[in-house]
Every structure is written in structure tokens, then in C-alpha cells.
Amino acid sequence: MRFEIKDRDAAGRICRFYTLHGTVTTPTLMPVVNPNKILITPQEMKKLFGVEIVITNSYIIKKDEKLKKKALDEGVHKVIDFDGPVMTDSGTFQSYVYGKIKLDPLEIVEFQRDIGSDIGTILDVFGLPDEPKTIATQGVKETLKRAKEAVKVKEDMLIACTVQGSTYQDLREKCAKEMSEIDCDFFPIGGVVPLMENQRYSDLVKVILSCKKNLNPSKPVHLFGAGHPLVFPLSVALGCDFFDSSAYAKYAYDNRLIFPWGTEKLDDISDLPCSCPVCSRLSADELRKLDEKERVVEIAKHNLYVSFGEIKKIRNAISNGSLWELVERRATSNPYLFEALDELKKTRNKAWLEHSEPVSKNKALFYTGRHTINRPIVYRLHNRLLNWYKPFFKDILVFPEAEGKPYSIYYFDEIRKLDDIQVNLVVDSWLGPVPLELDEMYPFAQSVFPSMVDEETKKEVSKVFKKFVKGKNIFYWRGDDTLKELQRKNGLKTKKVLDRDFMRISAVSIMQFGKDASKALFNGEIKIVKSKKTGKIRNVYCNGKHILSMRANDGLFTLKIEGGKLLHKFFKYPKLRVVVDDEAVSFVKDGKSVFAKFVKDCDPRLRPLDECLIVDKNDSLLAVGRCLLNRDEMLSFDFGVAVKTREKNEF
Ligand code: GUN
Ligand code: ZN
């Protein structure tokens, strides 16, 4: 099985998934193809919506003598006339919908293998929400047993082993953990259809998190039976890679149209609120007047256009770093979904999500409402501010949130007056306290808030602010009065102009590399070079050696090899390290990137897009680079780049 991460945001990812019938880009949707009633052929789906993989049902094929014979003789791809990757389901869902069906768990897996399915599914035991725990426990036990049997007979077929466990999070966790120990290739999260049908999105979030936290991160995760785009953004943000949709057809038969914000009955629509080719060509009235067969096909097409449109939006949001924004915006269209986001407020969930959160993004952080303050990037920022960052002086001068950024430009005149006063300058912002030295760092400068925010944000920010200033003397800026007060207080001290540039590189290095990073990096004669055009810090030299560059877009440092040497000498193993296998050493020494396959170990504190030290097993520094994966991922993935090498050590 080959699966690799290409890009990422939140706990979501854009991946390539390789099958014998072609490569698939995820996140994606697999339209369900019913071999008995094909509404739109898979070929046409590929042409119209860019469908790369479809899913069909092996139980339906096996039950029908004609289909079964054709499948065994010519393969499942011929049965549905599609030459791309085909996943098959096992009949679990039919037994959930229609009650007991006669099926041998191993036989149905062998059948899927024999008809040439690219991904076959075990006959998992569908766990109903809130069923008695004894039943759910038994179902998980049986599902695990069947998974263990199935992997033995899969041969070339990839095997999907469904995680069950009803709404019991401990059972979900156990099932996910044990599935990860088995040689399976693909993890559907099963038993969630009733949760979605009843709009129990908080429970859905709980289930996804319990599974994802315990699944091997290097394998694709499929939210089984999720076909409504309403749940796509959040599910992707939590780490789901695949969805499957029979909804597009089911709803079409029922004259219902899918939209990113929900579903609407054709009868209730005056103007089609959509610009897909179907809705561009036809008015609501014209659509209503079509004969039934034609109408169902047109609605099904609209439903798929909308569903794949949403997939594209999600991928685009991942690549520009705005997935949380999309999640929050979509959640406002459904109160239950909106409420489900409250699950992500829990510290344990924030902490888990923070592991996957990139340290920087291409796009500014936009406030969308009360959920924004709970994003993992904010959680990280506050943790580092409270635990790593140390104010320089005992006194703190607080400025109110400003209308312009960066704050040091907005408050330029005030700061100049305070040039020789030993006081920390802090802006009381909607993102929490912002020390002036950090005002260019992502996301402080790269964030947009309205002038007024919700109560929850105010409460959270004020909590952090109180912790931040604890034990310090606080002054609030009221103009010259405050200045005089501070001058009187500072009167006895030597009038030395503060080196705010040095304070900036020092503070940013600590926020980025951890406590004491400034001691490691700036122990010597420091020269700071600024951009002539913008006046911003560009390069930092220590004892004549170029150790860091400050990026203009996010105000964070790019680590040069000379800076890497200083961090390596100062910080003990494993801090900031990625350890590579002997096999990869010569490649890294050549400046080539590190593939996940060759990572032996990694500092658990490294996050995606963190600068890191690439070392061999004796901790000798080979190069500096930028992580694309976190530790769990580096150690699990067999494919793809783990660290982009920036600059090699010259030996
Ligand atoms: N389709 C929708 N939900 C499920 C599930 O839990 N298991 C299987 N095998 N198929 C499904
Ligand atoms: Zn449309």
C-alpha cells in the first residue's frame, strides 16, 4: 500500500493513494455505483466531475447470478465499466438495513479479491448508536476477528478494516488501536450513518476523534456512508480522507438537491441557488417539468457537481491554510454542526489537534465567530506565550488592540517616547497578549478580527491575559500621563536606549525553538541586517556567521546551518532532531530531502513546517531542514518526504 502526504492543514491532508488501477488524490468522494441501476456511468462521472475512484457492493454482485458470473469471469471493473480504482463493500450495510443476511465473512472477502477489487472490505459488524454495551463489545470483538482472518487471504487486494464500537468511545479506541496492529491498508469508520441521519454531529466528532487518535496515521481513513458535503470540511479537518456517496442518487430519486449547507426539496426552490452546469442550463421550473427519469439524472448530476465542488474547496483550503475557516463557516449553516465544534474546545482534543497543526500558513487567520479562539494554532500560541516566552522586565505597559498591524508600526510614536524605559510593551489583542517583539510573527500580524468579538473569545483572551501578567506591574497606556509615571519610576536607572531588534530576535527564537533558544543562538557578537525597503529584520549573524533569516511573510526564522550548529551544540538530544537511517546519510549530505521511510526517530515536539536538525544515529549534524510531518507520521509513513533539507553541513 502506498499513501503519502503532499500538503496539509488542521489534521487534514492532501494525499496520493496508489492502486493497481491508478492514483487517487485525497480527500475525495467515491460515488456509490449500484450495478443494478446505473444512473450515471462511472466513465461519465470521471469526465464530468473528475471522479477518480468509485465504490460498489460485492454482496449485490454476488447475489445476482449474472453479475456474479461476469464479475468472476471479467472482473468487477468490467461489471461497472470503469477502468479506474474500484472499492467494494461487503454487505455489512445491507444486513444493517434489511436485517440478517446469509453471508460468510471470509467468503465475501475472497469473492472481492477474486473479482479484482482494488480495495475490498471486511464483513464488519455494524454497531448501532447507543446499543447495549455488551452487544457493542461483542461486535467489536467479532469485527477484529474477521479483520485478522481477512488480511491472510487478501493477496494483491487492499483490505479495508472497518472500525466499529457504536457510541462507546473506549470501544472505538480499542478497535482502532487493534486494527492498527493488523496488516490492513485502509480504515473505514463504520456505524456512523445513523448519527448523520439524525444530525448527531457532536457524537460523530467524538467517534472520529476516538478513531483517529488511535489509528496508524499513515493509512487512509474513510468515513463510511458519509455522502453529504455538509460534513466534509469538519471530517477532513479531523483527518478523514475518503467519503462515499449514495446520497447523490438516493436524494435525486426523492427530488432533493444537495447543497454545501444542506438539502432542499425541488418543490421548495424558486430559483436554483447553484451555478453548476445543470442549474445554469435549467430553471427550477424546467427541472420540475422534466419527465421523471430525466429529472432524476439531472438532479443526481447536480448533487455530484456540488459534492465535488466542495471537495475542491476543501483541497484548496488545505493548500492555502484556511481549512479551519471553511469548517467554521460551514458550521454556521447548521446549528447541530455548529454545536459539534464545541467538542474541539476540550483541552485533550485541542492538544491532539495541535500535533498536526502547521506552524505557519500562507493565509492570514480570519475570525469567523466564537469557535476561532479554540483553534489549535491559538492553543499553541497561548501555551508558548505562557510557558516558553519570558517578559524582559518586571513592568508591563499595555496598549489597547489597534486598528492597524503590525502593532509596532501603529504605535510607532508611542514606542519612540518609551525608547529608554525598561518596560515590556504588550498589546491586549483579540488573540491574547501580544508582546511588541512578536508583533510580526504568525499569526499575530497575519490575523484579521472585527473591532468587536463574541463573549467567549473575550473570556478566553482575558483568562490568558491574566496568566500572562501574573506577578508583574501593569500600566495601561493613557498617553503622556502614563509616560511621566513610567519615567518617574525608571528615573534612577541608566538612560540606555533599548535594543528592540535584539528583543525581537530573542523572543521569536524562543517562541519558535523553545525556552533558552536565544541563549543558544545569540551568544556572541550579533549583527542584524534589515531590509532597506521595509525596514524589517532579514538576516542575523553571530560572530560573523549567518545563522538565521527572518521570513517577511510570517515573521518566523529560517534556520541556516550555522544556526543549526549552535542549537545542536546547546540543546541535548532529541530536541529539534530528526534522526535518519545510515542508508539515507549520504543523500542528506548531498542536500537531498529526507523520506519518511528513513526516519529512525524524531523530537516529539516538532510540528509540521518546524525548522529542524537532521542528524545521524550518533547525533552528528548532517543538515538543517523543514519538517513536513510530525513525529507520529514520520515514524509511520513508508512513503513521501518527511523533511525538506534546506542546507547541508559541510564536512
Ligand atoms: N456502509 C455504511 N456504513 C457502513 C459500515 O459501518 N460498514 C460497512 N461495511 N459498510 C458501511
Ligand atoms: Zn446545480
Side-chain angles (χ1 to χ4, degrees):
M1 198 275 296
R2 180 167 175 181
F3 185 59
E4 59 188 77
I5 295 188
K6 292 292 181 189
D7 207 346
R8 63 185 311 149
D9 192 26
R13 49 211 193 161
I14 294 177
C15 295
R16 291 259 198 283
F17 179 64
Y18 297 82
T19 77
L20 293 173
H21 285 86
T23 306
V24 175
T25 300
T26 67
T28 198
L29 172 63
M30 303 182 279
V32 173
V33 177
N34 182 337
N36 282 319
K37 359 178 220 202
I38 294 185
L39 260 185
I40 307 165
T41 65
Q43 297 287 4
E44 200 177 1
M45 286 183 188
K46 186 171 161 181
K47 213 172 69 198
L48 295 181
F49 324 110
V51 167
E52 287 184 319
I53 176 169
V54 298
I55 180 166
T56 187
N57 198 293
S58 63
Y59 169 71
I60 294 176
I61 295 174
K62 191 164 180 286
K63 220 170 44 156
D64 180 301
E65 275 311 317
K66 244 175 84 189
L67 289 174
K68 179 179 169 184
K69 184 167 183 332
K70 182 159 177 156
L72 286 169
D73 291 348
E74 303 170 43
V76 65
H77 295 79
K78 280 282 183 306
V79 172
I80 58 167
D81 189 25
F82 186 57
D83 57 10
V86 175
M87 179 175 181
T88 46
D89 197 357
S90 55
T92 295
F93 198 65
Q94 280 67 26
S95 66
Y96 153 66
V97 178
Y98 307 113
K100 280 254 172 303
I101 52 168
K102 234 182 69 205
L103 211 50
D104 180 81
L106 200 56
E107 201 180 304
I108 193 68
V109 172
E110 287 167 333
F111 178 70
Q112 294 175 73
R113 177 198 67 200
D114 295 340
I115 63 175
S117 172
D118 292 284
I119 311 162
T121 308
I122 61 165
L123 188 71
D124 46 308
V125 180
F126 198 97
L128 282 167
D130 313 310
E131 67 187 10
K133 192 156 185 189
T134 46
I135 308 245
T137 307
Q138 187 51 38
V140 165
K141 196 171 156 204
E142 180 64 24
T143 299
L144 284 165
K145 184 176 141 219
R146 292 179 185 180
K148 285 172 194 160
E149 293 299 313
V151 298
K152 291 188 206 152
V153 302
K154 66 173 183 161
E155 295 177 16
D156 281 347
M157 180 178 73
L158 300 172
I159 187 84
C161 295
T162 317
V163 181
Q164 294 286 353
S166 172
T167 34
Y168 300 100
Q169 305 313 325
D170 56 334
L171 289 182
R172 288 280 180 180
E173 287 165 14
K174 173 184 145 76
C175 190
K177 221 176 269 168
E178 288 191 33
M179 283 298 186
S180 295
E181 315 263 291
I182 306 171
D183 179 27
C184 35
D185 305 289
F186 200 91
F187 296 127
I189 297 175
V192 292
V193 168
L195 293 179
M196 292 183 285
E197 281 172 349
N198 295 304
Q199 306 213 57
R200 290 174 60 179
Y201 300 128
S202 294
D203 288 321
L204 180 68
V205 168
K206 285 184 196 160
V207 165
I208 296 175
L209 284 170
S210 300
C211 296
K212 271 298 293 191
K213 286 179 185 176
N214 293 283
L215 285 170
N216 178 332
S218 72
K219 293 176 185 181
V221 171
H222 166 199
L223 196 63
F224 229 141
H228 201 296
L230 187 67
V231 300
F232 291 175
L234 178 56
S235 308
V236 170
L238 300 180
C240 296
D241 307 294
F242 284 90
F243 302 95
D244 65 279
S245 174
S246 56
Y248 77 94
K250 252 194 278 184
Y251 290 169
Y253 284 114
D254 200 23
N255 280 325
R256 291 199 293 164
L257 280 75
I258 288 175
F259 296 101
W261 57 86
T263 311
E264 294 186 27
K265 278 185 136 52
L266 179 56
D267 282 346
D268 298 337
I269 297 175
S270 59
D271 285 271
L272 291 166
C274 173
S275 52
C276 84
V278 174
C279 299
S280 303
R281 183 161 43 82
L282 299 168
S283 70
D285 274 335
E286 286 166 337
L287 193 53
R288 273 189 281 269
K289 282 183 193 134
L290 293 179
D291 72 61
E292 177 165 6
K293 216 172 136 195
E294 215 180 331
R295 188 176 63 238
V296 170
V297 170
E298 294 299 337
I299 297 177
K301 282 185 184 168
H302 155 88
N303 288 346
L304 283 174
Y305 275 120
V306 168
S307 302
F308 279 93
E310 195 65 358
I311 293 286
K312 285 185 203 164
K313 281 192 198 110
I314 291 169
R315 288 195 202 155
N316 191 50
I318 292 176
S319 67
N320 68 27
S322 62
L323 185 55
W324 283 121
E325 250 138 67
L326 183 64
V327 169
E328 290 165 10
R329 292 212 173 101
R330 288 298 186 246
T332 59
S333 57
N334 182 297
Y336 302 107
L337 195 59
F338 191 79
E339 187 154 31
L341 286 192
D342 283 337
E343 275 308 307
L344 311 182
K345 268 204 303 214
K346 296 178 178 160
T347 307
R348 62 173 191 276
N349 293 335
K350 280 192 199 177
W352 180 76
L353 288 165
E354 192 271 327
H355 280 74
S356 313
E357 190 71 16
V359 298
S360 171
K361 310 195 182 200
N362 299 333
K363 251 181 113 247
L365 182 157
F366 269 58
Y367 171 90
T368 72
R370 71 175 176 88
H371 292 301
T372 303
I373 202 69
N374 294 312
R375 288 192 202 166
I377 190 97
V378 181
Y379 173 74
R380 169 188 297 152
L381 196 65
H382 290 169
N383 274 340
R384 293 188 180 187
L385 263 182
L386 297 176
N387 300 320
W388 291 3
Y389 173 85
K390 250 214 186 89
F392 292 84
F393 313 111
K394 251 334 272 142
D395 295 341
I396 293 185
L397 175 57
V398 182
F399 288 102
E401 172 75 288
E403 280 153 38
K405 284 181 186 177
Y407 300 129
S408 48
I409 304 286
Y410 186 85
Y411 286 118
F412 184 80
D413 292 336
E414 288 83 351
I415 295 169
R416 221 172 33 185
K417 292 183 197 165
L418 296 155
D419 244 3
D420 55 355
I421 298 180
Q422 308 234 329
V423 62
N424 299 289
L425 306 179
V426 172
V427 174
D428 184 7
S429 87
W430 294 135
L431 260 181
V434 186
L436 254 281
E437 314 89 73
L438 295 175
D439 75 331
E440 282 168 17
M441 192 188 94
Y442 183 85
F444 286 137
Q446 302 77 0
S447 53
V448 184
F449 279 71
S451 54
M452 219 9 112
V453 297
D454 65 285
E455 289 305 311
E456 207 173 309
T457 301
K458 286 185 194 167
K459 226 168 97 185
E460 179 67 21
V461 164
S462 121
K463 207 171 78 192
V464 175
F465 193 87
K466 281 203 186 99
K467 284 189 193 163
F468 182 80
V469 298
K470 201 168 164 219
K472 300 274 182 294
N473 308 316
I474 317 182
F475 300 83
Y476 289 92
W477 180 251
R478 285 171 286 106
D480 285 350
D481 283 353
T482 318
L483 180 63
K484 284 196 190 109
E485 191 183 348
L486 286 165
Q487 277 167 341
R488 264 200 309 278
K489 207 167 172 291
N490 257 251
L492 295 176
K493 293 184 186 139
T494 49
K495 294 242 184 237
K496 195 176 136 213
V497 172
L498 295 178
D499 186 350
R500 297 218 180 266
D501 291 335
F502 185 77
M503 286 166 74
R504 183 180 296 279
I505 61 172
S506 178
V508 170
S509 73
I510 287 169
M511 289 294 281
Q512 195 173 353
F513 301 113
K515 268 188 207 168
D516 292 335
S518 61
K519 284 188 200 149
L521 289 161
F522 309 127
N523 183 14
E525 191 207 330
I526 301 302
K527 191 175 113 193
I528 296 173
V529 177
K530 294 186 173 183
S531 154
K532 283 208 181 70
K533 223 165 90 195
T534 62
K536 288 188 178 175
I537 296 173
R538 299 313 296 269
N539 296 312
V540 183
Y541 295 79
C542 181
N543 296 331
K545 287 175 177 155
H546 184 189
I547 57 170
L548 299 164
S549 298
M550 190 173 263
R551 297 190 291 260
N553 62 325
D554 63 5
L556 288 164
F557 286 123
T558 289
L559 186 59
K560 309 293 292 178
I561 188 68
E562 292 299 336
K565 284 182 192 169
L566 297 174
L567 291 170
H568 181 259
K569 201 165 138 197
F570 186 89
F571 287 126
K572 286 203 177 60
Y573 180 89
K575 191 163 167 63
L576 298 174
R577 269 73 158 182
V578 174
V579 186
V580 300
D581 197 82
D582 286 344
E583 244 184 291
V585 167
S586 61
F587 290 96
V588 177
K589 281 184 171 172
D590 260 357
K592 297 210 169 73
S593 286
V594 179
F595 286 94
K597 194 178 155 102
F598 298 112
V599 175
K600 300 297 283 179
D601 206 353
C602 168
D603 180 358
R605 290 157 292 196
L606 284 171
R607 300 289 178 260
L609 298 191
D610 253 334
E611 302 286 309
C612 69
L613 310 172
I614 308 170
V615 299
D616 68 11
K617 65 174 194 287
N618 303 316
D619 195 28
S620 123
L621 182 67
L622 304 172
V624 290
R626 195 173 204 201
C627 301
L628 301 184
L629 308 179
N630 64 26
R631 179 176 193 266
D632 272 2
E633 293 161 346
M634 286 197 202
L635 298 183
S636 317
F637 272 92
D638 284 333
F639 298 96
V641 175
V643 182
K644 245 179 118 169
T645 302
R646 254 196 214 296
E647 202 183 348
K648 58 185 175 174
N649 202 354
E650 300 294 347
F651 287 92

